[in-house]
Each structure stands twice: as structure tokens, then as C-alpha cells.
Amino acid sequence: MKHPKYLLPVLGLLIVAATLWCIRHPRTLPENQCSPVYQHYAQVPGIQASFVKDFPLNDTLSIDVTFLQATTDSAWTLLSQDFGVKPLNNKIIERHGKNAVSNRLAPKKDYSLPMDTTCRTNNDLLLISRAEQIICIFHVSSSWQIKEIEDWQFNAMINRTPLKTIENEQ
């Protein structure tokens, strides 16, 4: 069977166009497949909320992350209250500067409370940047994930990688 001469070039163009479309239009999840904390803050004025499914921490581990950034002072006040964010003490500011990123474990059911000490996996790991007004919630399901997140944070700190890069992984 003889194929028209233009079939192969057209097929090649279609493959290139489909590839470019996939790159330019990343997959987005329906809101009901995102974290409950994302669903809660997605429509709050002054808060830019993102959910990254399977954020790659390293070669072997991916984890879901909710990224919240306040774009107004009132929104940061709301996030600070809801997540129990306290101001940095002077010793930390002297040692690490105002751009220090802190972390803490917080119960999955209420992020404003102290860590659930009965079981570490009842908590999620929060990374908090007061200078950028950002809170990243790493949705933890096992204890070894917490260690891997802390290692990732340490490497990000050494490389001066801003938390904003997580949102760009969408």
C-alpha cells in the first residue's frame, strides 16, 4: 500500500505539536484531589495557594506539598494564627538573619497546635519563611519521610534555594 508523501511530515508535526502542548500545559489536578488545606485556602483573598503532587525530594522520594504564600499583611496574620507561627527570637535573627526558614511538626488535624508526640506520622512537617510570608506543608505518611525532608531542607539552605521553587515544580 502506497502512502501519500505528506503523511510522514504531517505525522511528525503532530507529534512535535503534542509534545509542545504537554510541556506548555502542565497537568493540573481537580481540586478534590488536592490536600484539604489547599482546598481551604485556595479561595482566600490575599493567599496564593498551590498543591504539588509528588514533589521530588530526591531520586527515590516524592511527597505531596501544599504551598501557601500570603500576598498581604492581613493574609499573613491569618496564616500565622492558623499555623501557630511565632516571631523569630533575637538570637535566631542574629545568627541566621531575618530570612531564616524554620520548621516544625504540627498535627494534621490542627496545624496551630504543638506536635502530636504520640506518633510522629500524625503530624505534617511545616517549613515557614517569615520574610517571604510562605508556609510549605509537607504531607507526611512515614517517619523516614521526615528525615528526608529535613535533609532536603538542609541542602536547600546550603544552596540558598528559596521555598518559592517548590511552587514552580507544578
Side-chain angles (χ1 to χ4, degrees):
M1 178 177 204
K2 196 170 187 179
H3 298 286
K5 291 180 181 180
Y6 62 86
L7 185 60
L8 199 53
V10 168
L11 188 59
L13 284 174
L14 284 175
I15 291 171
V16 169
T19 303
L20 288 174
W21 187 85
C22 288
I23 291 170
R24 307 274 281 149
H25 297 88
R27 180 180 67 112
T28 56
L29 289 173
E31 190 168 317
N32 65 353
Q33 291 181 20
C34 297
S35 70
V37 70
Y38 168 82
Q39 292 176 26
H40 177 77
Y41 289 101
Q43 304 305 320
V44 175
I47 297 177
Q48 180 183 347
S50 301
F51 179 75
V52 180
K53 180 106 178 122
D54 296 328
F55 173 73
L57 280 177
N58 57 34
D59 293 341
T60 60
L61 177 64
S62 297
I63 192 164
D64 294 345
V65 181
T66 300
F67 178 91
L68 304 172
Q69 182 170 22
T71 58
T72 64
D73 289 338
S74 59
W76 179 244
T77 301
L78 173 68
L79 287 177
S80 295
Q81 291 171 352
D82 290 355
F83 288 85
V85 177
K86 296 176 177 50
L88 291 174
N89 68 39
N90 291 334
K91 287 184 181 181
I92 292 175
I93 293 173
E94 287 173 18
R95 187 173 283 168
H96 303 287
K98 292 182 179 181
N99 294 332
V101 175
S102 60
N103 68 3
R104 73 179 188 89
L105 291 169
K108 293 176 188 275
K109 294 183 179 178
D110 186 352
Y111 293 121
S112 66
L113 297 175
M115 173 182 159
D116 181 346
T117 56
T118 59
C119 179
R120 285 185 67 151
T121 57
N122 289 342
N123 300 287
D124 283 335
L125 186 84
L126 308 179
L127 294 184
I128 303 161
S129 171
R130 290 159 185 83
E132 296 176 290
Q133 297 184 333
I134 293 173
I135 298 176
C136 292
I137 303 107
F138 288 82
H139 303 284
V140 176
S141 59
S142 68
S143 292
W144 65 272
Q145 287 177 328
I146 296 169
K147 167 131 180 36
E148 293 296 323
I149 295 166
E150 289 169 343
D151 289 348
W152 174 85
Q153 181 192 10
F154 181 73
N155 288 329
M157 186 175 62
I158 288 173
N159 296 323
R160 299 184 186 273
T161 306
L163 289 179
K164 187 84 171 142
T165 59
I166 293 174
E167 182 187 34
N168 296 333
E169 287 291 328
Q170 297 180 48

